[in-house]
Amino acid sequence: MMHSTPLLSSSKFASRQLRILTRTYSVNLTNNKFNNKMPHFMEPSTSPQYPYFETKRTISSAATKLKTKPKPTTKKNHNNFLPADQLTLAELNDNVLKAKYAVRGAIPMRAEELKIQLQEDPSSLPFDHIVNANIGNPQQLNQKPLSFYRQVLSLLQYPEILKQDESKLVASGLFKKDALERAKTLLHEIGGTVGAYSASQGVYGIRKTVANFITKRDNGEPAYPEDIFLTAGASAAVMYLLSILCKGPETGVLIPIPQYPLYTASLALNNSHALPYYLDEKSGWSTNPKEIEEVVLAAKDKKIRPSVLVVINPGNPTGAVLSEKSIEHIFEIAAKYGIVVIADEVYQENVFNEVKFHSMKKVLRNLQKKHPGVYDMVQLASLHSTSKGVSGECGQRGGYMELTGFTHEVRSVILKLASISLCPVVTGQALVDLMVSPPKKGDESFEQDQAERKHIKSELHTRAMQLYKNFNTLEGIECQKPQGAMYLFPRLDLPFKAVQKAQHLEMSPDEFYCKSLLEATGICTVPGSGFGQEPGTYHLRTTFLAPGTEWIEKWKIFHQDFYNTYRD
Amino acid sequence: MMHSTPLLSSSKFASRQLRILTRTYSVNLTNNKFNNKMPHFMEPSTSPQYPYFETKRTISSAATKLKTKPKPTTKKNHNNFLPADQLTLAELNDNVLKAKYAVRGAIPMRAEELKIQLQEDPSSLPFDHIVNANIGNPQQLNQKPLSFYRQVLSLLQYPEILKQDESKLVASGLFKKDALERAKTLLHEIGGTVGAYSASQGVYGIRKTVANFITKRDNGEPAYPEDIFLTAGASAAVMYLLSILCKGPETGVLIPIPQYPLYTASLALNNSHALPYYLDEKSGWSTNPKEIEEVVLAAKDKKIRPSVLVVINPGNPTGAVLSEKSIEHIFEIAAKYGIVVIADEVYQENVFNEVKFHSMKKVLRNLQKKHPGVYDMVQLASLHSTSKGVSGECGQRGGYMELTGFTHEVRSVILKLASISLCPVVTGQALVDLMVSPPKKGDESFEQDQAERKHIKSELHTRAMQLYKNFNTLEGIECQKPQGAMYLFPRLDLPFKAVQKAQHLEMSPDEFYCKSLLEATGICTVPGSGFGQEPGTYHLRTTFLAPGTEWIEKWKIFHQDFYNTYRD
């Protein structure tokens, strides 16, 4: 309809333009905060000459877009047609419009605005820097990359270095001997250059290394390179798995609540149902198999097919680690109802000493042995990533998934979809190889590598415990003891007056708390409403990646003030 | 239905398993060649111990999968339930099943099988290696990466090197001074490490460099970092743009025929209509605006909204370069009907001396000046990539898109979708910076860089012309003169007997030719049917990247034999 443009007067035309631009903002300012803030978020600084909007965008400045453009003519133009309008939201894919992603939502975007403000006028705010506790991005918060990784990756990018005299290279102190060796091996497996497309499933030699890692991790339960798909981080794997497994509204996907919002976003994109199962906060965010089965049956009653069950272990945002028993219960449901299990295990390295991580694959194999024939048809996709753990190489986009129990025909479809996007970045694939096969005892890099890993782990653990203890000293905060991952998800018992104030501001109460925290201290967190939570409860997610403790002290002071202000 | 399993006898249960596995193969062996071959394709070698299939997979070997598994019990098991089945194709997203991608289709997959066979028994085939002319993957065919790029990228991966004494580094001959400088600048812009997530739109400083490049390329027509989105190659941009712009069956997307199959694949994934407009082979694959407008009107009659028009310039697979006039005609249609233009300009560097590349953006800006008000609402997304040109860095997944004329609200949705997949690989973003801002006159790397670029360009040109001339000496082949890109798309006038033979083999005739070529010479090409072609015409796409001329000679001999065998 927009496309067969009726004849209009010049003024009408202009006013229609203004309407379009105004609508942009009215939409944004109401239900579309995300969109409204996004451009700032994306622009650490904005070029003043950009004619279409300024840093502080307003309707009037948006309208300048019109002024910067010649007034449209309505006289029959050179080729005797009237130009049609620009696209409106109504003309876009509704599923994309529905998708939400709080981790880079309104609060983090406000933080980016404040960053710009600090650059422009450092004294204009009660703090001098933003603490990005909203996203698990370790190296942004000064976690050092592991030296061995980076030595190898630099050699892969520039193999000329390998032509130098080896003893000289080692003498320079820049490269350890085993890094040089690994680079040569990887270059051979990759086919000589990281600049060529690899097979869509990933470099075979690297998939072999992954299979060996899994076999070792799972007490000898064999894994096979044929079952490994290298991916651009775990997010890519989740998005393309769900795009294959979701048929539309008839499909339901069980997701834990609270969850990592990538899952609800992907389900929105695929127009399928999220079937929430609630984690039990009181028992440290454990899973309740009875509830899961109830959700399955309720979905079937509604003629929704529960096709997939998502498990995040260690949990994001909860930091909880599943017991072997809980995993067995999940597989029992999967076997009984033929539900594909997606195991998001990207935090498998982030587990604190006292707890043990059990891989879903290992537990499945044990069940298959214990109960012949019962669990053979279970289909499992387990995901891992180079972005978390002690690697923290988020920007390198490395990851893998292991497929277990899928038919050849389904695997082939998964592979076909992978091949359409050609291949995951090859350096990211190499990084997966390094992550799953680090220097061994006796290798030149071993001592240093061990020391670096130990340091990162203990730092994370110390800070997690500090934050956890501090939270539980504070009025109206209750925090479960962290077992792993990179996050705490404390519960906020907010004063009634604060809840009222939030409603008045058309915000969820936890969003109001997070926004106030940000504006007062520069600490950027994500409200629980972005992850899902029991109705009537409020939480927030914070990483414990930010170095130092000074920010924790600032948080405590803010929190007391907040409660003093709003206490009933 | 599969999910509420009825009670069955043990034998029934087993036979059902066998049925599932057999179906896998019957499906594969008929309409699903792609799926059938895919696992081989993905496995340059296969581990003999893999229990689920062998290199030469057959129904019987598939059935061994059952044997390797314990017989399923039907006695009420430990928890008193009967296991459900694995997923079948019928339970997957139909759109994914529909998607096809010939560039990595049946012929390339057969080539991968032959590679394995050559590894196992080099003397078993009439050739000793595969010539991968099926995909534009320059470095796979020994094109050298540009030294300057790789020096900078290795420094970004391992900034420790920068701490060394600069004069020593330069003296080593490994790093040029300007490479060290660029690495420092990029590290600063990126925030110190390539291991942290960047903003989802990409690093602002790099987007600035891109904007400067475009401004210079387009004779001073200003471009802005706010309009630049860095992407993981151009494929990622195409896929996520179309996922936003396609609402479903009501949406139509005009694509050139022949086309790069990523477009039809993405449209299948989004369940939207491809509206083909045929390029005119006789006039060197030029576009015909009249025909495009007819397609637009025909779609509207069918109540399909023509939302997007795809232009590939320089053309893939045709290698044709659009004239300024043709581009103006396309924009006239876009302005008149409010159609978004996606300009796939990834081959903009691959243009032979005698022809000139005109960027869509530049032509649009000129039209906007010439005809005030008429073209202001035109929405253009132009894509570029680090995979092609003289860079040829396919495996590094770098690219960008520039958005022109979209409303803020639509841009925000595009940005939101980008943010769900966090960010494009940061080293790929850096590579974009290097591609659009290479060493300048006076920089230490300038001479060497120029020499390397010249060499690559002349190699490509020479080989393109050689191949082109040779084709036109052959019986039944007619090839348009290449103007750019990396491909030739010769037309095959196949003998009737060959067509008959193909039909007998349930293949398209051009697929039969390409398969025969592969089996006889090891030269891997893609049949025209994978790109689309005028009904009743046959073509193939070959790259001219493979070094040497010996393979061309082999091709000529094969071709003569083929025609001698099938000549009527």
Side-chain angles (χ1 to χ4, degrees):
Chain A
M1 21 19 146
M2 276 290 186
H3 293 271
S4 52
T5 315
L7 203 70
L8 322 137
S9 78
S10 167
S11 67
K12 247 203 192 143
F13 189 91
S15 72
R16 185 179 57 192
Q17 300 318 314
L18 194 49
R19 210 173 56 244
I20 291 168
L21 292 160
T22 326
R23 187 182 46 240
T24 315
Y25 294 91
S26 51
V27 169
N28 292 345
L29 295 173
T30 57
N31 57 347
N32 223 332
K33 266 194 222 70
F34 188 95
N35 296 350
N36 177 35
K37 293 286 195 307
M38 184 57 95
H40 304 304
F41 161 50
M42 288 301 140
E43 288 141 22
S45 91
T46 48
S47 51
Q49 81 276 20
Y50 189 56
Y52 302 125
F53 51 82
E54 293 119 32
T55 308
K56 289 260 159 295
R57 194 179 306 101
T58 63
I59 289 176
S60 65
S61 75
T64 60
K65 178 173 183 180
L66 258 185
K67 299 198 201 75
T68 63
K69 286 188 168 183
K71 272 254 171 295
T73 170
T74 53
K75 288 191 227 72
K76 298 283 189 194
N77 66 45
H78 68 126
N79 279 332
N80 192 10
F81 67 84
L82 261 177
D85 266 349
Q86 293 159 295
L87 285 178
T88 65
L89 288 186
E91 293 165 297
L92 303 185
N93 178 345
D94 311 312
N95 299 334
V96 174
L97 296 179
K98 277 182 295 176
K100 285 198 180 60
Y101 186 66
V103 175
R104 291 191 156 184
I107 304 284
M109 285 183 263
R110 175 61 183 153
E112 292 301 317
E113 286 186 326
L114 295 174
K115 253 185 205 164
I116 298 169
Q117 190 178 330
L118 282 171
Q119 285 163 10
E120 290 165 353
D121 179 0
S123 63
S124 62
L125 292 169
F127 47 86
D128 57 7
H129 70 289
I130 297 291
V131 178
N132 277 103
N134 58 296
I135 185 165
N137 194 7
Q139 293 189 25
Q140 178 192 38
L141 297 165
N142 307 329
Q143 180 177 306
K144 293 247 165 314
L146 296 169
S147 306
F148 177 74
Y149 289 0
R150 296 306 196 93
Q151 287 176 27
V152 176
L153 288 172
S154 68
L155 294 165
L156 293 181
Q157 283 289 6
Y158 192 40
E160 284 299 309
I161 301 175
L162 290 166
K163 295 185 183 159
Q164 297 260 312
D165 175 58
E166 185 170 302
S167 54
K168 266 213 208 104
L169 283 174
V170 174
S172 75
L174 280 177
F175 298 97
K176 292 269 201 305
K177 204 164 169 314
D178 52 339
L180 301 170
E181 292 315 315
R182 180 68 71 89
K184 287 176 198 158
T185 315
L186 278 169
L187 272 173
H188 173 73
E189 284 167 349
I190 288 167
T193 171
V194 295
Y197 294 123
S198 73
S200 303
Q201 189 169 349
V203 172
Y204 187 77
I206 295 173
R207 285 154 47 208
K208 254 191 201 158
T209 318
V210 172
N212 296 339
F213 157 77
I214 295 171
T215 305
K216 205 155 147 268
R217 182 198 68 189
D218 295 346
N219 313 337
E221 284 302 334
Y224 303 95
E226 289 74 8
D227 297 334
I228 309 299
F229 289 61
L230 299 177
T231 60
S235 305
V238 168
M239 291 178 85
Y240 89 85
L241 271 177
L242 287 178
S243 73
I244 292 167
L245 298 174
C246 293
K247 257 179 115 70
E250 69 195 83
T251 303
V253 175
L254 288 106
I255 56 169
I257 295 298
Q259 54 114 24
Y260 175 54
L262 169 64
Y263 292 97
T264 38
S266 305
L267 291 176
L269 292 176
N270 292 292
N271 193 27
S272 292
H273 288 282
L275 306 172
Y277 64 92
Y278 285 91
L279 304 175
D280 178 33
E281 181 164 11
K282 288 268 156 291
S283 59
W285 299 110
S286 66
T287 54
N288 171 355
K290 267 208 182 39
E291 197 216 334
I292 294 180
E293 187 155 18
E294 280 159 21
V295 174
V296 168
L297 297 172
K300 286 169 159 290
D301 289 345
K302 295 203 205 82
K303 299 272 167 291
I304 296 169
R305 187 161 55 79
S307 305
V308 182
L309 191 157
V310 172
V311 176
I312 311 175
N313 181 42
N316 174 5
T318 65
V321 178
L322 285 175
S323 72
E324 208 162 352
K325 259 270 147 291
S326 312
I327 298 174
E328 286 179 354
H329 286 312
I330 288 164
F331 280 127
E332 190 181 316
I333 295 163
K336 189 168 170 186
Y337 298 100
I339 300 175
V340 172
V341 176
I342 295 181
D344 179 339
E345 300 180 322
V346 300
Y347 296 100
Q348 59 188 275
E349 250 183 32
N350 300 99
V351 172
F352 300 140
N353 318 341
E354 59 272 17
V355 282
K356 184 165 176 11
F357 165 77
H358 301 279
S359 84
M360 302 279 290
K361 168 90 177 305
K362 184 193 72 185
V363 176
L364 175 60
R365 289 297 187 226
N366 292 344
L367 281 173
Q368 288 173 338
K369 283 202 212 117
K370 253 201 287 184
H371 307 289
V374 179
Y375 291 94
D376 298 341
M377 297 294 119
V378 170
Q379 298 152 102
L380 170 67
S382 12
L383 316 181
H384 198 3
S385 160
T386 57
S387 301
K388 312 303 176 185
V390 289
S391 308
E393 295 276 15
C394 302
Q396 308 254 22
R397 316 309 294 121
Y400 75 77
M401 66 177 177
E402 183 190 21
L403 297 184
T404 310
F406 290 86
T407 64
H408 297 310
E409 61 187 337
V410 171
R411 293 159 49 106
S412 302
V413 174
I414 294 169
L415 209 35
K416 179 181 72 175
L417 194 57
S419 79
I420 293 173
S421 31
L422 295 164
C423 74
V425 58
V426 175
T427 46
Q429 296 185 45
L431 189 55
V432 171
D433 188 276
L434 302 173
M435 174 181 74
V436 299
S437 159
K440 288 169 206 52
K441 210 164 179 36
D443 298 345
E444 290 74 0
S445 301
F446 182 73
E447 259 68 42
Q448 184 188 358
D449 190 62
Q450 284 297 305
E452 290 175 353
R453 290 167 186 271
K454 235 210 197 104
H455 173 73
I456 293 168
K457 279 193 164 222
S458 73
E459 283 275 304
L460 287 175
H461 189 225
T462 314
R463 245 181 277 120
M465 289 311 156
Q466 238 160 10
L467 204 51
Y468 158 67
K469 289 203 186 79
N470 275 284
F471 279 144
N472 286 334
T473 65
L474 293 175
E475 171 184 5
I477 291 198
E478 191 191 341
C479 186
Q480 298 300 313
K481 189 171 182 205
Q483 300 180 291
M486 295 179 170
Y487 315 100
L488 292 180
F489 197 65
R491 175 174 180 159
L492 301 166
D493 180 6
L494 293 170
F496 181 64
K497 283 195 192 128
V499 175
Q500 274 184 315
K501 180 75 184 283
Q503 280 157 351
H504 176 73
L505 295 168
E506 295 183 334
M507 281 184 188
S508 70
D510 45 14
E511 185 177 2
F512 173 59
Y513 177 91
C514 293
K515 192 156 188 308
S516 312
L517 174 66
L518 174 64
E519 304 280 354
T521 65
I523 300 168
C524 181
T525 57
V526 185
S529 40
F531 302 89
Q533 53 198 349
E534 292 266 11
T537 69
Y538 306 117
H539 299 77
L540 63 78
R541 188 188 80 167
T542 178
T543 71
F544 39 77
L545 297 169
T549 56
E550 168 249 12
W551 63 284
I552 301 178
E553 292 310 315
K554 271 162 56 183
W555 190 332
K556 283 166 72 174
I557 294 160
F558 157 80
H559 185 84
Q560 277 138 7
D561 296 350
F562 186 89
Y563 273 70
N564 293 338
T565 313
Y566 295 107
R567 194 181 291 103
D568 316 331
Chain B
M1 18 24 142
M2 276 289 184
H3 293 273
S4 51
T5 315
L7 203 71
L8 319 140
S9 79
S10 167
S11 67
K12 245 198 192 153
F13 188 92
S15 74
R16 185 178 58 188
Q17 300 317 317
L18 194 50
R19 208 173 57 245
I20 291 167
L21 292 159
T22 327
R23 185 179 50 240
T24 316
Y25 293 89
S26 51
V27 169
N28 292 344
L29 295 174
T30 57
N31 58 346
N32 223 333
K33 265 194 224 69
F34 187 94
N35 296 350
N36 177 38
K37 293 285 194 308
M38 183 59 94
H40 304 301
F41 162 49
M42 287 301 142
E43 290 143 20
S45 88
T46 47
S47 51
Q49 81 278 21
Y50 189 56
Y52 302 124
F53 51 82
E54 293 122 33
T55 309
K56 288 263 160 293
R57 195 178 307 100
T58 62
I59 291 178
S60 65
S61 74
T64 61
K65 177 170 182 180
L66 259 185
K67 298 199 202 77
T68 63
K69 287 186 171 185
K71 271 254 171 295
T73 170
T74 53
K75 290 190 222 73
K76 299 281 186 191
N77 65 46
H78 69 124
N79 279 329
N80 192 10
F81 67 83
L82 259 179
D85 268 348
Q86 293 159 295
L87 284 179
T88 65
L89 289 185
E91 293 165 298
L92 302 185
N93 178 346
D94 312 312
N95 300 333
V96 175
L97 296 180
K98 277 182 297 176
K100 286 198 178 60
Y101 186 64
V103 175
R104 291 193 155 182
I107 304 284
M109 285 184 265
R110 174 61 182 152
E112 290 302 318
E113 286 186 325
L114 295 174
K115 252 185 207 164
I116 297 170
Q117 191 179 327
L118 281 172
Q119 285 164 10
E120 292 167 352
D121 178 2
S123 63
S124 63
L125 292 170
F127 47 86
D128 56 7
H129 70 288
I130 297 290
V131 178
N132 277 105
N134 59 297
I135 185 166
N137 193 6
Q139 292 189 25
Q140 180 193 35
L141 297 165
N142 307 329
Q143 180 176 307
K144 295 244 163 318
L146 295 170
S147 306
F148 178 75
Y149 289 0
R150 296 306 195 92
Q151 288 176 27
V152 176
L153 289 172
S154 67
L155 294 165
L156 293 181
Q157 283 289 6
Y158 193 41
E160 285 300 308
I161 302 175
L162 290 166
K163 294 184 184 157
Q164 296 261 311
D165 177 56
E166 186 171 302
S167 55
K168 266 214 207 103
L169 283 174
V170 175
S172 75
L174 280 176
F175 298 96
K176 291 268 198 314
K177 206 164 169 311
D178 52 341
L180 300 170
E181 291 315 314
R182 180 68 69 89
K184 287 176 196 155
T185 315
L186 278 168
L187 273 173
H188 172 74
E189 285 167 349
I190 287 167
T193 170
V194 295
Y197 293 123
S198 74
S200 304
Q201 189 170 349
V203 172
Y204 187 78
I206 296 173
R207 285 155 47 209
K208 254 191 199 157
T209 318
V210 172
N212 296 338
F213 157 76
I214 294 171
T215 304
K216 205 156 146 266
R217 182 198 68 189
D218 295 347
N219 313 337
E221 284 301 334
Y224 303 95
E226 289 73 8
D227 297 335
I228 309 300
F229 289 60
L230 299 177
T231 60
S235 305
V238 168
M239 290 177 85
Y240 89 87
L241 271 177
L242 287 178
S243 73
I244 292 166
L245 298 174
C246 293
K247 258 180 112 71
E250 69 194 84
T251 302
V253 175
L254 289 106
I255 55 169
I257 295 297
Q259 55 115 24
Y260 175 53
L262 169 64
Y263 292 96
T264 38
S266 305
L267 291 175
L269 292 176
N270 292 291
N271 193 27
S272 291
H273 288 283
L275 306 172
Y277 64 92
Y278 286 91
L279 304 175
D280 178 33
E281 181 164 11
K282 288 267 155 296
S283 60
W285 298 112
S286 67
T287 53
N288 171 356
K290 265 207 186 41
E291 196 216 334
I292 294 180
E293 188 155 17
E294 280 161 18
V295 173
V296 168
L297 297 172
K300 286 168 159 291
D301 288 345
K302 295 203 205 83
K303 300 274 167 288
I304 297 170
R305 187 161 55 78
S307 304
V308 182
L309 190 158
V310 172
V311 177
I312 311 176
N313 181 42
N316 175 4
T318 66
V321 178
L322 283 175
S323 72
E324 206 162 353
K325 259 271 145 288
S326 311
I327 297 174
E328 286 180 354
H329 285 312
I330 288 164
F331 280 127
E332 191 180 318
I333 294 164
K336 191 168 170 185
Y337 298 100
I339 300 175
V340 172
V341 177
I342 295 181
D344 179 339
E345 299 179 324
V346 298
Y347 296 99
Q348 60 188 272
E349 250 183 31
N350 300 98
V351 173
F352 300 140
N353 318 340
E354 58 273 15
V355 283
K356 186 169 176 4
F357 166 77
H358 301 280
S359 84
M360 302 279 292
K361 168 91 176 307
K362 184 193 74 186
V363 176
L364 175 60
R365 289 298 186 224
N366 292 342
L367 282 173
Q368 289 173 336
K369 284 203 210 116
K370 253 202 284 180
H371 308 288
V374 180
Y375 293 93
D376 298 341
M377 297 293 120
V378 170
Q379 298 152 101
L380 170 67
S382 14
L383 316 182
H384 198 3
S385 160
T386 57
S387 302
K388 311 303 175 186
V390 291
S391 308
E393 295 276 14
C394 302
Q396 308 254 20
R397 317 309 294 124
Y400 75 79
M401 66 176 176
E402 184 190 21
L403 297 184
T404 309
F406 290 86
T407 63
H408 296 312
E409 61 187 336
V410 171
R411 292 160 49 106
S412 303
V413 174
I414 295 170
L415 209 35
K416 179 182 71 175
L417 194 57
S419 79
I420 293 173
S421 32
L422 295 163
C423 74
V425 58
V426 174
T427 46
Q429 297 184 44
L431 189 54
V432 172
D433 188 278
L434 301 173
M435 174 181 73
V436 298
S437 160
K440 287 169 207 53
K441 210 168 183 29
D443 297 345
E444 291 72 1
S445 301
F446 182 74
E447 259 69 43
Q448 183 188 1
D449 189 62
Q450 285 297 306
E452 291 174 353
R453 289 167 187 271
K454 236 213 197 100
H455 174 72
I456 294 167
K457 280 195 163 218
S458 73
E459 282 275 303
L460 287 176
H461 188 226
T462 315
R463 246 181 277 118
M465 289 310 155
Q466 235 158 14
L467 203 52
Y468 158 67
K469 290 204 186 83
N470 275 287
F471 280 144
N472 286 334
T473 65
L474 293 176
E475 172 185 4
I477 291 197
E478 191 190 340
C479 185
Q480 299 300 313
K481 191 174 183 205
Q483 300 181 292
M486 296 180 169
Y487 314 100
L488 292 180
F489 197 65
R491 175 174 180 158
L492 300 168
D493 181 5
L494 292 171
F496 180 64
K497 283 196 193 124
V499 176
Q500 274 182 314
K501 181 74 182 284
Q503 280 156 352
H504 177 72
L505 295 168
E506 293 183 336
M507 281 185 189
S508 71
D510 45 15
E511 185 178 0
F512 173 58
Y513 178 91
C514 293
K515 190 153 188 310
S516 312
L517 174 66
L518 173 64
E519 304 280 356
T521 65
I523 300 168
C524 181
T525 57
V526 185
S529 40
F531 302 88
Q533 53 198 347
E534 291 267 10
T537 68
Y538 306 116
H539 300 76
L540 63 79
R541 187 188 82 166
T542 177
T543 70
F544 40 77
L545 297 169
T549 56
E550 168 251 8
W551 63 284
I552 302 178
E553 292 311 314
K554 270 163 52 186
W555 190 331
K556 284 166 72 173
I557 294 160
F558 157 80
H559 185 85
Q560 276 137 9
D561 295 349
F562 185 89
Y563 273 69
N564 292 338
T565 314
Y566 295 106
R567 194 180 293 103
D568 318 329

